[in-house]
Amino acid sequence: MTETAATPQGIPVITADPFSPENLTEPHILHEQLREAGPVVYLDQYKIWAMARYEQVNAALKDWETYSSASGAGLSNFRKEKPWRPPSLLLEADPPAHTRAREIVGPILAPPAMRAVRAPFESEAAALVDRLISRGSFDAVSQLAEVYPLKVFGDAVGVPEEGRENLLPYANMVFNAFGPRNQLLENAMSKAQVVQPWIAASCAREALRPGSFGAQIWAAVDAGKVPQEWAPLLVRSLLSAGIDTTVNGLAASIYAFASNPDQWSILRSQPSLVKQAFEEAIRWESPVQTFFRTTTREVEIAGVRIPEGEKVLLFLGAANRDPRRWSDPGRFDIRRNASGHVGFGMGIHRCVGQTVARLEGEIMLTALANRVERIEFTDQPQRKPNNTLLAWSSLPIAIHTV
Ligand code: OW4
């Protein structure tokens, strides 16, 4: 099992593997151990540092000058190892390059841009809920949480419908690649030969529907603020980050309500809580559990000195359940104010697509709450181990209308 020891300098040493299938699928026990061990811990198996308390995770996310992203947001240090794909211009970059990339993509996904996508997002949600109600019972992962983002986000980015199913195995590669070279990564990468050519083709100008988010990226790049070669890489960021995150955000919401029927009743009687409810689901079962940074200098946190050039693992999901920050953090409570959670990150790298994610969550939960009185499990939910995401492979549910 897990042990905590202290080094001569008093740094807690954790021997547990946060990337074991057991810890990935049932993370909350390990997270408590990490938080209680101290503000900074040393993960002996990977020879890296980690933070799991809200205060330190939040502070590190905001301090991009000390905690760099340009060496990669995963375990692999890009200064020592060749990245598996060209680095993301957004996620795996620091200012000033990051700022220029963000200035291109930010406005395309910002609140005013949502006016153009709200109507199709709503009609697709209503149509999907219609179909699911007529089925009665179904798998909320494969028949709801995956279907909806593939359709509405795929349409919004402007990629062809044909081959869109490649986005799921690609995301599986991307999010497992942030972790160690374990069996999960090995399995995910076995699809690379078919998936990567489709992704590359879908980032090209000709592949993208006129007016779509993807076409807008090409247009902004054409306007000349950044090199031409940036366009396909910026579209690739949308395809990498936009699907599996929202799939598991929706799955987390369904899981939360199916296991807390009192909260579904509250939402049904107060539909205006829907945005807050989605935010609480992201806090409670954060789809993106972890990201890494690399220190650019020697840094002291709460008496612990981390040398320069070291990988630091930030446990976003653990920070979102830190009892030092949240009261009764293990409780899914849609009446709480979950704002300030770090499920979308914090600081300059905070999720650039969070408005789109929230719109999908708000619209899908509203479509369900409009029609569905009760959600219940018909069988055991099954987690899907992933080196970054808190994910589900199946959520067998029945939904009941009035
Ligand atoms: C969560 C994220 C995740 C995966 C890939 C990328 C971004 C990217 N953010 O920029 O490619």
Side-chain angles (χ1 to χ4, degrees):
M1 260 296 286
T2 57
E3 283 170 61
T4 306
T7 62
Q9 310 112 282
I11 305 162
V13 176
I14 302 286
T15 56
D17 178 5
F19 300 98
S20 73
E22 297 73 27
N23 284 325
L24 291 171
T25 53
E26 209 45 78
H28 305 305
I29 305 155
L30 172 66
H31 289 175
E32 181 175 9
Q33 190 204 352
L34 293 169
R35 284 188 306 260
E36 294 313 308
V40 183
V41 303
Y42 191 73
L43 298 180
D44 204 45
Q45 177 165 352
Y46 299 105
K47 310 293 177 205
I48 61 169
W49 308 80
M51 304 175 192
R53 293 186 185 176
Y54 181 87
E55 182 186 340
Q56 281 75 30
V57 169
N58 185 246
L61 288 170
K62 288 177 173 168
D63 184 2
W64 59 267
E65 287 167 293
T66 304
Y67 299 95
S68 167
S69 292
S71 299
L75 176 61
S76 170
N77 186 331
F78 292 176
R79 280 189 241 170
K80 299 178 183 172
E81 282 185 291
K82 187 178 165 355
W84 72 279
R85 59 174 195 167
S88 164
L89 298 170
L90 286 162
L91 183 73
E92 295 154 342
D94 289 336
H98 168 268
T99 315
R100 293 167 69 208
R102 185 92 185 195
E103 280 167 5
I104 301 281
V105 178
I108 294 168
L109 304 179
M114 296 303 106
R115 274 198 294 268
V117 296
R118 178 177 278 275
F121 279 32
E122 284 177 343
S123 61
E124 288 299 335
L128 177 55
V129 169
D130 236 28
R131 296 203 293 278
L132 295 171
I133 285 172
S134 53
R135 273 184 200 142
S137 53
F138 56 90
D139 177 10
V141 175
S142 63
Q143 297 181 283
L144 191 165
E146 292 182 348
V147 172
Y148 186 63
L150 277 178
K151 176 61 183 158
V152 300
F153 189 71
D155 286 353
V157 176
V159 296
E161 279 211 64
E162 171 140 5
R164 233 181 242 186
E165 66 282 355
N166 284 301
L167 290 167
L168 290 169
Y170 186 64
N172 200 41
M173 292 162 59
V174 167
F175 285 97
N176 279 305
F178 295 124
R181 290 194 180 164
N182 55 17
Q183 194 61 51
L184 287 170
L185 179 56
E186 196 82 359
N187 295 348
M189 288 297 177
S190 68
K191 305 258 169 57
Q193 294 254 349
V194 259
V195 167
Q196 274 185 307
W198 186 89
I199 295 293
S202 301
C203 293
R205 184 201 297 275
E206 320 78 70
L208 298 159
R209 175 178 60 79
S212 62
F213 294 159
Q216 290 178 58
I217 288 178
W218 275 94
V221 168
D222 286 342
K225 277 176 262 167
V226 300
Q228 198 77 28
E229 314 84 73
W230 281 27
L233 275 173
L234 293 174
V235 176
R236 194 195 68 179
S237 279
L238 303 192
L239 301 182
S240 301
I243 295 286
D244 223 0
T245 48
T246 52
V247 166
N248 286 295
L250 294 172
S253 306
I254 302 288
Y255 170 72
F257 282 114
S259 41
N260 294 274
D262 59 314
Q263 298 296 310
W264 188 249
S265 301
I266 295 170
L267 180 62
R268 292 260 299 159
S269 60
Q270 287 182 76
S272 64
L273 290 179
V274 67
K275 290 190 188 185
Q276 204 169 300
F278 185 67
E279 225 50 41
E280 170 67 349
I282 300 303
R283 180 198 70 81
W284 189 63
E285 290 275 290
S286 308
V288 177
Q289 286 277 297
T290 45
F291 266 128
F292 292 78
R293 296 290 189 259
T294 308
T295 55
T296 57
R297 60 176 177 92
E298 183 184 277
V299 54
E300 193 182 308
I301 313 110
V304 175
R305 269 211 309 280
I306 305 178
E308 183 261 321
E310 294 282 301
K311 281 282 173 177
V312 181
L313 176 50
L314 305 177
F315 283 88
L316 313 179
N320 285 340
R321 285 179 175 231
D322 184 353
R324 294 159 192 81
R325 170 64 178 78
W326 312 95
S327 62
D328 202 359
R331 196 175 127 70
F332 174 67
D333 173 9
I334 68 168
R335 286 190 279 211
R336 91 161 73 225
N337 178 5
S339 65
H341 75 74
V342 290
F344 288 116
M346 194 58 81
I348 65 164
H349 285 281
R350 71 193 175 283
C351 177
V352 72
Q354 59 185 280
T355 319
V356 188
R358 287 189 174 117
L359 191 69
E360 288 180 33
E362 178 204 335
I363 289 174
M364 180 48 70
L365 289 177
T366 300
L368 287 167
N370 282 341
R371 309 270 317 270
V372 175
E373 189 184 36
R374 210 151 45 83
I375 305 174
E376 62 187 13
F377 288 118
T378 54
D379 207 340
Q380 284 286 107
Q382 303 288 339
R383 293 271 202 206
K384 171 163 41 190
N386 181 288
N387 283 331
T388 303
L389 300 172
L390 188 54
W392 292 101
S393 66
S394 80
L395 291 169
I397 61 166
I399 53 179
H400 306 274
T401 55
V402 266

